[in-house]
Amino acid sequence: MPELPQLVDFPTASDALTAAVPRQLVHRAAFAETLLTGWRRIGTDQFRVAAQWPRAHPLHVSSDRTAYEPLLVTETVRQGGTLLAHTEYDVPLDHRFVLQELRVSTRPEHLAVGPAPAEPVVDITIFDVRRRAGRVVAFHLTATVTIENTQVASAFFAASWTSEPVYRRLRGGRTAANVQALDPPPGVPPALVERTVPADVVLARPDRPGRWQLRVDTAHPVFFDHPLDHVPGMLLLEAAGQAARVTGGGRRAPISFHATFDRYAELDQPTWIEAEPGPDDQLQVIGVQGDSAVFACRVGTVAQ
């Protein structure tokens, strides 16, 4: 395990902000994609995590650089849970993170980008910890995210941890080195999904109303920050968010996600994103490979 930075007792994020935590602890390869800056235990299975959010980002900040997007909250909480798993619950660094379910709800009126990078504080409670042979293999967490003492988001994650040998057996020998992703088909216009460059568009042109092929670009520096043998969950969530924007005719933006992940989405098979409007300004999205769903996501939206 890499040497950890000296931690301090901080009431706000800014008091702890000295440097990012070691990127290996949050399963990122790029320093620029490492959002966390410190943490401390505040109670039994309760922790306070500090982060810094950039003022510009190709995916997690609006194209006009005025607002932070819900998936930045999602990635921050994911990194927080991963960090705590390794540092507080002794999950080995080579174990694989497996996400089963997440719920993230944001308050967009409090997610404006300011004149300096935001410094959110994430209060995390870990519960339903499961152990096998004395080692933690799964837990649930809840999180509240605040900026300058204002709650901007809440979240729930259910995740498990798998050793490398078990993961390899589950994947049947599929690795990032021996699985070739399909070439991405042409995408929808970037402006339709609030993106500025075509490479950040993850939905292909629809083959029928409400259905798009997922565009998987394994060279994308955010979704594929490091080599993977499957489609990452954050890419599937981005597809759900972009589907909400398309379905809303560019007049609605995602503010919440409730997603369940059923199985790995394979790189060498087409993934179809299907969306149907639901009640209360929600959109029901599923990702399908062959005859099976790989994930389902209910996206809450707001007029923009």
Side-chain angles (χ1 to χ4, degrees):
M1 180 175 293
E3 183 178 352
L4 304 183
Q6 184 69 37
L7 303 180
V8 296
D9 187 17
F10 59 94
T12 64
S14 59
D15 294 324
L17 187 59
T18 56
V21 302
R23 64 192 189 277
Q24 300 94 327
L25 295 177
V26 296
H27 296 189
R28 301 302 281 180
F31 290 110
E33 297 300 324
T34 303
L35 303 172
L36 307 186
T37 60
W39 81 98
R40 69 179 175 94
R41 181 185 291 269
I42 59 175
T44 303
D45 295 318
Q46 294 181 311
F47 306 90
R48 181 159 291 167
V49 177
Q52 185 186 75
W53 287 348
R55 295 172 63 200
H57 191 278
L59 295 174
H60 300 326
V61 175
S62 62
S63 57
D64 60 4
R65 298 185 180 179
T66 63
Y68 294 113
E69 297 200 346
L71 289 188
L72 182 60
V73 174
T74 305
E75 174 63 10
T76 302
V77 176
R78 183 205 68 78
Q79 289 191 17
T82 303
L83 171 77
L84 297 175
H86 293 313
T87 60
E88 300 286 344
Y89 293 89
D90 297 324
V91 173
L93 278 175
D94 64 350
H95 279 210
R96 299 291 187 125
F97 173 82
V98 182
L99 180 61
Q100 281 93 33
E101 181 182 3
L102 68 82
R103 297 194 295 269
V104 175
S105 180
T106 65
R107 302 171 68 188
E109 67 272 21
H110 298 301
L111 287 173
V113 175
E119 297 176 5
V121 172
V122 187
D123 285 315
I124 294 177
T125 299
I126 306 290
F127 62 103
D128 287 348
V129 178
R130 290 194 289 115
R131 291 177 169 83
R132 185 178 299 123
R135 190 179 296 283
V136 171
V137 295
F139 59 56
H140 294 172
L141 70 81
T142 57
T144 58
V145 183
T146 59
I147 297 176
E148 297 181 351
N149 298 317
T150 297
Q151 183 173 332
V152 303
S154 59
F156 163 85
F157 275 57
S160 61
W161 302 90
T162 302
S163 69
E164 186 67 17
V166 171
Y167 179 79
R168 285 288 143 232
R169 288 197 297 272
L170 289 173
R171 298 297 290 138
R174 299 173 73 87
T175 70
N178 66 23
V179 175
Q180 181 68 41
L182 301 177
D183 291 334
V188 301
L192 194 59
V193 291
E194 290 290 320
R195 294 293 172 248
T196 56
V197 296
D200 293 331
V201 175
V202 303
L203 298 181
R205 296 167 187 168
D207 69 335
R208 66 173 189 248
R211 192 174 102 131
W212 309 264
Q213 185 177 342
L214 180 69
R215 302 182 72 244
V216 180
D217 175 9
T218 56
H220 195 283
V222 178
F223 296 126
F224 291 87
D225 165 80
H226 54 281
L228 295 171
D229 60 17
H230 61 275
V231 177
M234 288 295 288
L235 176 52
L236 297 173
L237 291 172
E238 175 68 20
Q242 292 192 15
R245 293 186 185 278
V246 174
T247 304
R251 297 183 297 275
R252 302 200 68 83
I255 61 170
S256 66
F257 296 88
H258 181 187
T260 54
F261 299 87
D262 300 312
R263 65 181 182 88
Y264 290 106
E266 304 298 350
L267 295 171
D268 54 0
Q269 300 176 28
T271 302
W272 296 96
I273 305 299
E274 302 177 359
E276 291 185 359
D280 302 323
D281 298 321
Q282 295 185 344
L283 188 74
Q284 185 63 40
V285 179
I286 61 171
V288 178
Q289 284 193 333
D291 297 326
S292 301
V294 295
F295 91 113
C297 185
R298 187 168 67 246
V299 185
T301 67
V302 66
Q304 63 176 7

